[in-house]
Amino acid sequence: MALTRKTIVRTLSSLFLLLTCCFSAFSQNTVTGNLTDGSSGKPVQYANVSLLRLSDSVLVAYTAANDKGDFELKMVPDGNYRLAVYFVGYENYEQSLSVNKTMNIGTIKMTAGTTSLSEVVVKGERPLFAVDGEKTYYNTAEDPTVQTGTASDVLQNAPGVSVDVEGNVTLRGASSVEIWINDKPSHMNAENLKTYLQQMPANSIDHVEVITNPSARYGSKADGIINIVTTTKVMKNQFISFGTNASIKPYASPWISYVWSNEKLSINLYSNFSYSMDRYLNKSDITIFQPGLEGRDTVSFETDSSYSKGHNFGGGIHFNMDYQIDSMNSISLWSGFWPSLRNFNGYSETYRDMYLENSLTEYKSLSSSKNKSHWAGFGLYYLHNFDQNGHNLSLDVNASSWGWGNVGKTDKIYLSPTEYTRSMDEKNRSGSFDVSAELTYNRPYSENGEISLGYYGGYTQSNEYSYLDTLDNGVWVKDEMRSYRSLAPEVDNQVFFTLQHKFGNFTIKPGVRLEHTYTSILYPEIVPDTFAVRRNFFHVRPSLHLSYRTESMHNFRLSYTFRSSNPDAENLTRFVKYEEESFYGGNPDLNSILTHSVEAGWQKYWEKFGSVGVTLYYRAKTRDIDEITVPAYHEIYGRQVSFTYPVNVGKAMNTGLEVNTMYRPNAMFNIRLYANVYHRYIETMYDNEFYKQQMWSYSFNMSVWAKLWKRLEINVSGYYGSPSISLFSSTHAHYSINAGLRADFFDKKLSVYLNANDIFNWNSWGFDNDSPYYVSHGTYKYNSRTVALGFTLRFGKMELENQARQGAASESSGSGQGGM
């Protein structure tokens, strides 16, 4: 019997209710107490209190004292423990504790001292979501529902973030997003970044920072930044772990990691290998029109269907070293190399009816391709502290390169109007090299204020090469129109200044960034190079962020930023790229995108409930860049085909509301819901006519997690994204439901998990393009329903696991070292 959506909803609701009832019945010991200043007798507010198992220092419970100094540790099993209390300005406090019943240990008198937060290495439970200034934190390490997944799964659960079936990341419906790793841009091209996120284990991530309205402190040209942080403070020890993940996709990824660390030096090595097989099914139809006496006349109608299967091989190695030279100086080095190989075979069928010419064309295509890619990077971070109060100078230097090469063969077998075969051999290469350096100076001018200023310089050179041979009367002939080579160097120079000052619980942070970019593109094989482009862009970017926190932990924030984003050199040139059934060109008249963003948010935490957060946002873009597809006649094709080129949209505005809620009645059960509702409005001029589009869109994530018998974890999650629009196009709704089990054995030295992804095989992608003279529809589906099994073996202290599994991400010694 087919499952209806109503049946599925009822089933999930029943499961959620059952789990809630089961875990509301759990009850264990509770440990309470009170913290006071040993000299004044006043309460020590908001200090961190941890309970660690005496035998192996595994964290059992964690809390923070309230404004009266009272604390309460819940769900404590019988046993022997070490109670640890730490707070900035006081000496660390520890005592042994035997628990076999609910107990009050009385008043603990804290002794004033000089302990700084950076010296504390006890890792406790944090709120799943938190807000601090312009950042929203998703503390992944505290979320058991994603620990057996990948970085893509983590991002799918981060506030405002969505990841589609192809691995593309959007933030509040916008694709203009930068992915950072440990406070640094990832320096990867789009395809390598997708692969990296799909390989990176979720349990290597400490937290994710979502910056929806970046201040002048950041040089990002995107609408938002997603910073994946994997760093962990570790003490002297060594740790090795290995494991594998496998699924019926099929997919397999064995990995191994090693950490050696003492109080001054930390070394991390990580390596993995992966294999997967992908199957894709695409269907589309295209209708081309031209102006007619009564509106528009149909020129042609075309249907396409294709199936492809690919084998993917990948892996890599990463090295990270952190060295504390002395109490005032530290240095970090990292390097990584990540190659991949993909073999694809495809089959497609095309049917085209040319109405005006009264002709039919039908052909089949057989294709095969082999492509290789790599990403390699190196980085150095140096920090000099002038004192222990945040006065410091840092230098961050990074270099990376990526390359992609493809060799393909295609046979197009025409069935009508004339039977013949067109054979093509194609070679493509592309790549880039970039190097950047950022110098940042942070100086507190009082206990409540700090300034930060810096310089950023970067150089990037991209290259692209395409060579196409066609078989003509038994002789291979170079296709001059489809063969080309390009070079695109770009130089960036930026300076920034920010100031942050606190007035009690109120914080103000103004800033400004000055940017100059020189971008160009050259075609060396074309003489004279009439398609060369050289442009300079200069922008001033102000920002203002305000935040306020009440004593009862209500958090409020308000921010405004102005940003600019320059067009790529490739979009500025008149050079035309010819495909088999379409062609693409640039637009020399493009201007920079200008964006005004305003956000207002509130978030509140309750100890016995969880948290609720609400954010209102408004983003207005002028001269937004989007693509438009129109019919155009070209002598190469001898008919009208689709021509795609970029344009500056008149206006594009997003206005929305985010709600982020977590219900956590106890440490063994939680329900989490994230919802985003927004209105998108677009207006532009095309062919001397005014066009307007608007749509309400929404998305939500819901997950339920529970832990049974102290060992077995169960999680169920669901995602839904409604249709959304861009210029003359829209995407279909997409949704999925996942479920998983995880069990730990031998004091967590062995973990085994079983996951079922996209249980009902719903996950697919669809689009509709509806420009005035070009209409198309399409669907995209791949093998998303899988069952995965994996295990992890660990040797060493468990506190080191996060660093051991950090993979290609480098540790940022600059985190928390000042700066804004």
Side-chain angles (χ1 to χ4, degrees):
M1 181 180 68
L3 290 173
T4 65
R5 198 170 300 180
K6 181 180 291 186
T7 302
I8 294 166
V9 171
R10 288 176 177 174
T11 302
L12 290 174
S13 300
S14 300
L15 177 61
F16 296 162
L17 182 60
L18 177 63
L19 291 173
T20 304
C21 293
C22 290
F23 282 91
S24 63
F26 271 70
S27 62
Q28 294 182 341
N29 302 318
T30 300
V31 177
T32 59
N34 178 264
L35 305 176
T36 63
D37 186 293
S39 300
S40 66
K42 294 182 179 180
V44 176
Q45 301 175 339
Y46 313 120
N48 299 293
V49 184
S50 303
L51 198 63
L52 300 100
R53 201 158 56 200
L54 196 60
S55 59
D56 54 13
S57 295
V58 171
L59 182 69
V60 175
Y62 171 83
T63 190
N66 61 19
D67 56 355
K68 298 179 181 179
D70 297 324
F71 65 87
E72 184 179 35
L73 297 163
K74 300 179 180 179
M75 307 295 291
V76 180
D78 293 351
N80 297 317
Y81 300 99
R82 175 166 55 90
L83 180 73
V85 183
Y86 59 92
F87 194 62
V88 176
Y90 290 89
E91 293 182 358
N92 293 345
Y93 174 87
E94 293 186 2
Q95 77 171 74
S96 298
L97 200 63
S98 181
V99 178
N100 54 24
K101 62 180 180 179
T102 295
M103 57 192 301
N104 186 311
I105 62 174
T107 299
I108 297 175
K109 296 181 179 181
M110 302 291 290
T111 302
T114 58
T115 303
S116 66
L117 190 59
S118 62
E119 295 172 335
V120 178
V121 298
V122 177
K123 181 178 180 295
E125 182 182 358
R126 300 160 294 180
L128 201 58
F129 299 100
V131 177
D132 183 16
E134 62 191 306
K135 300 178 181 179
T136 298
Y137 291 85
Y138 169 36
N139 290 314
T140 313
E142 312 300 335
D143 187 357
T145 66
V146 299
Q147 294 304 306
T148 59
T150 65
S152 290
D153 301 316
V154 170
L155 295 185
Q156 188 73 274
N157 287 275
V161 181
S162 177
V163 184
D164 68 23
V165 294
E166 296 184 41
N168 299 304
V169 180
T170 58
L171 180 60
R172 291 174 173 170
S175 58
S176 178
V177 184
E178 282 190 7
I179 305 295
W180 288 31
I181 309 294
N182 289 331
D183 304 314
K184 305 179 184 70
S186 59
H187 302 294
M188 297 185 201
N189 74 316
E191 290 303 317
N192 281 344
L193 183 60
K194 291 179 190 178
T195 302
Y196 172 74
L197 294 176
Q198 290 164 359
Q199 289 182 352
M200 184 181 188
N203 62 0
S204 69
I205 301 173
D206 181 72
H207 68 272
V208 174
E209 300 171 0
V210 179
I211 308 172
T212 55
N213 202 11
S215 67
R217 173 64 181 84
Y218 298 94
S220 172
K221 301 174 184 178
D223 291 336
I225 296 173
I226 300 171
N227 184 28
I228 300 173
V229 179
T230 66
T231 56
T232 297
K233 174 78 173 177
V234 296
M235 297 301 287
K236 182 177 181 180
N237 218 308
Q238 60 181 339
F239 185 89
I240 187 169
S241 60
F242 64 90
T244 188
N245 305 326
S247 77
I248 62 174
K249 187 176 182 178
Y251 167 81
S253 178
W255 55 268
I256 186 168
S257 64
Y258 174 77
V259 166
W260 185 91
S261 179
N262 61 23
E263 295 180 355
K264 300 194 70 173
L265 177 65
S266 175
I267 296 174
N268 173 216
L269 289 170
Y270 173 88
S271 181
N272 83 317
F273 170 80
S274 66
Y275 165 78
S276 65
M277 184 177 74
D278 294 320
R279 293 181 291 271
Y280 302 92
L281 178 64
N282 296 274
K283 294 183 178 180
S284 64
D285 61 77
I286 300 170
T287 306
I288 294 178
F289 302 92
Q290 69 178 17
L293 296 177
E294 297 181 0
R296 59 187 187 181
D297 296 330
T298 303
V299 174
S300 67
F301 175 77
E302 177 180 313
T303 62
D304 299 278
S305 63
S306 65
Y307 172 81
S308 61
K309 182 171 71 174
H311 299 270
N312 311 303
F313 303 87
I317 187 168
H318 174 80
F319 168 79
N320 188 86
M321 183 189 76
D322 300 295
Y323 181 64
Q324 189 73 35
I325 302 171
D326 53 39
S327 61
M328 295 297 181
N329 298 277
S330 63
I331 189 170
S332 294
L333 298 172
W334 67 268
S335 63
F337 178 65
W338 300 86
S340 66
L341 171 66
R342 295 183 177 183
N343 296 318
F344 273 90
N345 292 284
Y347 171 80
S348 67
E349 295 182 354
T350 300
Y351 171 87
R352 183 187 308 115
D353 190 346
M354 302 294 295
Y355 288 94
L356 298 183
E357 301 173 11
N358 194 26
S359 66
L360 298 175
T361 301
E362 184 178 1
Y363 62 86
K364 300 178 180 179
S365 295
L366 299 173
S367 61
S368 63
S369 66
K370 177 183 292 186
N371 66 64
K372 301 177 181 178
S373 64
H374 79 272
W375 178 86
F378 168 81
L380 179 150
Y381 181 87
Y382 171 74
L383 176 70
H384 173 71
N385 291 297
F386 297 98
D387 55 35
Q388 299 295 337
N389 300 315
H391 184 197
N392 58 59
L393 179 71
S394 65
L395 175 65
D396 191 3
V397 179
N398 292 279
S400 67
S401 71
W402 69 266
W404 176 85
N406 178 74
V407 177
K409 179 178 177 59
T410 302
D411 290 324
K412 295 183 70 174
I413 306 168
Y414 284 83
L415 305 177
S416 67
T418 304
E419 292 187 5
Y420 74 99
T421 299
R422 171 178 163 84
S423 297
M424 294 165 285
D425 276 353
E426 187 173 8
K427 298 178 182 178
N428 298 288
R429 292 199 306 269
S430 61
S432 74
F433 169 78
D434 65 80
V435 59
S436 64
E438 182 171 278
L439 186 67
T440 305
Y441 176 73
N442 302 299
R443 176 70 184 260
Y445 57 84
S446 71
E447 292 184 356
N448 298 314
E450 181 183 26
I451 60 171
S452 180
L453 55 93
Y455 164 79
Y456 170 86
Y459 173 80
T460 301
Q461 177 164 301
S462 303
N463 63 82
E464 189 173 1
Y465 169 83
S466 180
Y467 186 94
L468 181 67
D469 278 343
T470 59
L471 190 62
D472 186 9
N473 295 322
V475 179
W476 288 101
V477 179
K478 179 181 178 181
D479 189 330
E480 297 288 350
M481 298 299 295
R482 295 182 175 89
S483 301
Y484 62 89
R485 185 165 70 95
S486 66
L487 298 173
E490 182 173 286
V491 180
D492 279 308
N493 287 284
Q494 305 173 15
V495 294
F496 64 88
F497 171 82
T498 59
L499 180 147
Q500 180 170 299
H501 193 89
K502 292 185 177 182
F503 301 90
N505 291 336
F506 177 74
T507 302
I508 182 172
K509 181 182 176 182
V512 64
R513 178 178 284 263
L514 308 180
E515 299 177 334
H516 173 262
T517 300
Y518 169 78
T519 187
S520 62
I521 189 167
L522 311 170
Y523 297 88
E525 296 180 351
I526 300 177
V527 181
D529 190 356
T530 56
F531 299 107
V533 171
R534 297 172 180 85
R535 288 277 294 272
N536 287 278
F537 298 94
F538 179 78
H539 299 286
V540 179
R541 289 176 40 194
S543 67
L544 178 63
H545 287 70
L546 310 174
S547 62
Y548 178 73
R549 184 181 67 190
T550 68
E551 297 297 333
S552 55
M553 296 304 291
H554 288 273
N555 296 271
F556 301 90
R557 61 175 176 170
L558 177 66
S559 65
Y560 164 79
T561 64
F562 172 78
R563 292 191 302 279
S564 59
S565 180
N566 304 320
D568 295 332
E570 188 177 34
N571 284 334
L572 292 169
T573 179
R574 295 185 184 275
F575 183 80
V576 176
K577 293 183 178 180
Y578 298 96
E579 303 291 340
E580 275 294 291
E581 303 293 341
S582 59
F583 62 109
Y584 302 82
N587 182 354
D589 298 325
L590 284 181
N591 291 305
S592 300
I593 304 171
L594 305 179
T595 305
H596 298 270
S597 296
V598 179
E599 289 189 10
W602 164 82
Q603 192 150 9
K604 166 67 175 173
Y605 301 96
W606 291 270
E607 184 177 350
K608 297 182 179 181
F609 172 83
S611 64
V612 175
V614 178
T615 300
L616 287 167
Y617 61 90
Y618 171 76
R619 179 174 293 125
K621 291 186 177 182
T622 57
R623 307 189 311 211
D624 191 15
I625 296 177
D626 212 330
E627 289 186 340
I628 187 170
T629 300
V630 299
Y633 178 86
H634 201 291
E635 60 272 13
I636 289 182
Y637 306 97
R639 59 183 173 84
Q640 293 211 56
V641 296
S642 62
F643 173 49
T644 302
Y645 63 97
V647 296
N648 280 119
V649 179
K651 291 181 181 178
M653 293 179 287
N654 275 21
T655 305
L657 170 70
E658 286 182 337
V659 178
N660 197 16
T661 303
M662 182 182 64
Y663 173 61
R664 200 169 195 160
N666 59 55
M668 298 292 108
F669 178 72
N670 68 62
I671 300 176
R672 184 157 46 88
L673 174 66
Y674 168 80
N676 179 28
V677 180
Y678 63 95
H679 179 263
R680 183 163 174 80
Y681 174 87
I682 302 172
E683 65 177 43
T684 191
M685 292 290 296
Y686 171 71
D687 200 18
N688 295 319
E689 290 192 31
F690 178 78
Y691 292 89
K692 180 174 68 174
Q693 295 171 263
Q694 55 184 329
M695 175 183 280
W696 282 97
S697 299
Y698 58 92
S699 64
F700 65 84
N701 287 308
M702 184 175 184
S703 67
V704 176
W705 173 85
K707 191 166 187 178
L708 302 169
W709 309 297
K710 305 179 184 179
R711 178 171 296 178
L712 179 65
E713 298 179 14
I714 303 173
N715 68 77
V716 179
S717 63
Y719 171 79
Y720 180 86
S722 75
S724 59
I725 61 169
S726 57
L727 181 63
F728 293 136
S729 69
S730 62
T731 59
H732 298 178
H734 50 288
Y735 37 87
S736 66
I737 290 180
N738 310 312
L741 301 172
R742 172 191 169 114
D744 295 320
F745 305 95
F746 311 117
D747 287 333
K748 293 189 177 182
K749 288 182 171 60
L750 171 65
S751 296
V752 179
Y753 75 85
L754 177 68
N755 271 347
N757 298 310
D758 193 15
I759 297 173
F760 301 104
N761 203 30
W762 288 338
N763 213 343
S764 63
W765 202 255
F767 68 89
D768 299 296
N769 291 324
D770 191 12
S771 63
Y773 301 111
Y774 181 90
V775 176
S776 65
H777 311 278
T779 59
Y780 171 90
K781 178 65 180 172
Y782 81 118
N783 49 326
S784 59
R785 179 166 56 184
T786 61
V787 177
L789 178 68
F791 75 90
T792 299
L793 278 172
R794 311 174 181 89
F795 302 94
K797 282 198 173 181
M798 305 306 295
E799 292 86 346
L800 292 174
E801 180 186 359
N802 273 354
Q803 182 168 348
R805 291 295 306 275
Q806 72 180 359
S810 59
E811 181 169 346
S812 170
S813 296
S815 285
Q817 299 290 343
M820 301 175 289

